Amino acid sequence: QVQVVESGGGLVQAGGSLRLSCTASGLPFGDYVMGWFRQAPGKEREGVSCISTRAISTRYADSVKGRFTISRDNAKNTLYLQMNNLKREDTAMYYCAAGRAPFCFASWTVPANYMGQGTQVTISS
């Protein structure tokens, strides 16, 4: 049984930082492209960042480039998202997802194989 569980969300002031974590079990973690997506109230889900199976390649949405950093530890089956200089528009539910190529890198809309329940990130002014 595959489980994808996000953690690390919370309430922070604008300009602050958070680090999200995602632990996946029941799947060969190192064989999956991993990604972060987010959905704000009243908006569609959008892609935030992707990382290739061996962390050689990454992709970021224009809105987070230079502020967010994605990483993974295949030995720990864990994905991370370091978020710095947070803005109010980063407020959203953040989801971790796993997929086989061409997931995430070809298009944000390629469906994931697995996705977690999300962790809420709220940025206050």
Side-chain angles (χ1 to χ4, degrees), residues 38 46-48 59-67 87 108:
R38 67 186 183 186
E46 62 177 357
V48 175
R59 181 188 183 194
Y60 295 94
D62 288 344
S63 58
V64 306
K65 281 180 182 176
R67 301 188 298 121
K87 304 176 180 180
W108 296 117

Side-chain angles (χ1 to χ4, degrees), residues 13-44:
Q13 287 190 328
S17 298
L18 279 175
R19 188 173 85 150
L20 304 183
S21 298
C22 167
T23 301
S25 59
L27 77 168
F29 183 82
D31 290 349
Y32 280 80
V33 173
M34 297 298 296
W36 289 99
F37 292 75
R38 67 186 183 186
Q39 187 168 17
K43 294 188 177 181
E44 292 188 352

Side-chain angles (χ1 to χ4, degrees), residues 19-25 27-32 34 36 51-56 69-81 96:
R19 188 173 85 150
L20 304 183
S21 298
C22 167
T23 301
S25 59
L27 77 168
F29 183 82
D31 290 349
Y32 280 80
M34 297 298 296
W36 289 99
I51 188 166
S52 61
T53 56
R54 290 174 176 77
I56 293 173
T69 302
I70 192 171
S71 61
R72 65 190 295 164
D73 185 339
N74 287 350
K76 296 182 178 180
N77 283 15
T78 302
L79 175 73
Y80 303 99
L81 186 68
C96 170

